[in-house]
Amino acid sequence: MRTLVIVILVAAAGFLYTYFQQASRDAGGNIVSEGNIDAFSIQVGDCFNDDPGLDATAEVFGVAGIPCTQPHDNEVYAIFNTSLTEFPGNARMGEVASDECVARFEAFVGRDYMSSQLDVLPMYPTQESWEQMGDREIVCALYDLDLVKLEGSMRQSGL
């Protein structure tokens, strides 16, 4: 019984260390070691993996950053502030973010969205972050439609 408790404690400590460990960046801002990236520290070109514990409607506080040289689920390709002056509600905010991300897709990938094998993953403010923190930032990430891990950057990949 004591051994089981020790094993559980060691596993929990390992999980917490990995979760709270921040990703390291080189002088150019590229992720060089995996770790957490705070939602407000995400940069264009960052690659990250999905969090299996979150569903599509979950509020995101950070992502599991990983060097783009390693297989990864997503890559950030655009970050911008919305021009909306009032929070339109979660559903409408999601639609606006998605539309704006699609509009920026081809400039990064080098292929139009409709003929690409990639899809968009918009991350956008919640009403709470909008009101309490003045959050207006929309983050556009991309991923493979077949949920295959991406290899390298998708910048000008033509996929």
Side-chain angles (χ1 to χ4, degrees):
M1 178 69 164
R2 178 186 287 185
T3 304
L4 179 60
V5 170
I6 292 172
V7 169
I8 291 171
L9 289 174
V10 169
F15 171 78
L16 290 173
Y17 174 78
T18 302
Y19 180 78
F20 289 108
Q21 179 183 4
Q22 297 297 306
S24 298
R25 296 181 183 277
D26 64 16
N30 299 308
I31 298 172
V32 293
S33 70
E34 59 187 278
N36 189 53
I37 303 172
D38 178 85
F40 295 103
S41 300
I42 294 172
Q43 299 177 19
V44 171
D46 282 355
C47 295
F48 63 96
N49 283 324
D50 294 333
D51 182 342
L54 293 179
D55 65 27
T57 62
E59 190 170 346
V60 175
F61 296 99
V63 296
I66 187 168
C68 292
T69 56
Q70 297 178 21
H72 52 278
D73 297 322
N74 311 285
E75 180 177 357
V76 176
Y77 69 92
I79 300 174
F80 57 94
N81 285 335
T82 181
S83 61
L84 297 174
T85 57
E86 294 182 20
F87 190 78
N90 287 327
R92 180 69 184 131
M93 187 75 237
E95 292 169 3
V96 168
S98 184
D99 291 347
E100 292 289 333
C101 287
V102 167
R104 289 165 169 78
F105 183 88
E106 186 173 357
F108 185 86
V109 176
R111 183 179 202 140
D112 69 288
Y113 172 74
M114 292 305 291
S115 67
S116 176
Q117 71 184 49
L118 304 172
D119 202 357
V120 299
L121 171 65
M123 294 180 276
Y124 48 87
T126 62
Q127 185 159 4
E128 182 178 299
S129 69
W130 182 283
E131 293 173 354
Q132 294 179 2
M133 298 171 27
D135 182 14
R136 304 295 187 268
E137 189 172 82
I138 295 175
V139 175
C140 304
L142 54 77
Y143 65 95
D144 188 281
L145 281 167
D146 295 327
L147 304 180
V148 174
K149 294 273 190 186
L150 302 172
E151 295 188 23
S153 176
M154 296 296 104
R155 185 184 305 263
Q156 296 304 311
S157 67
L159 295 175

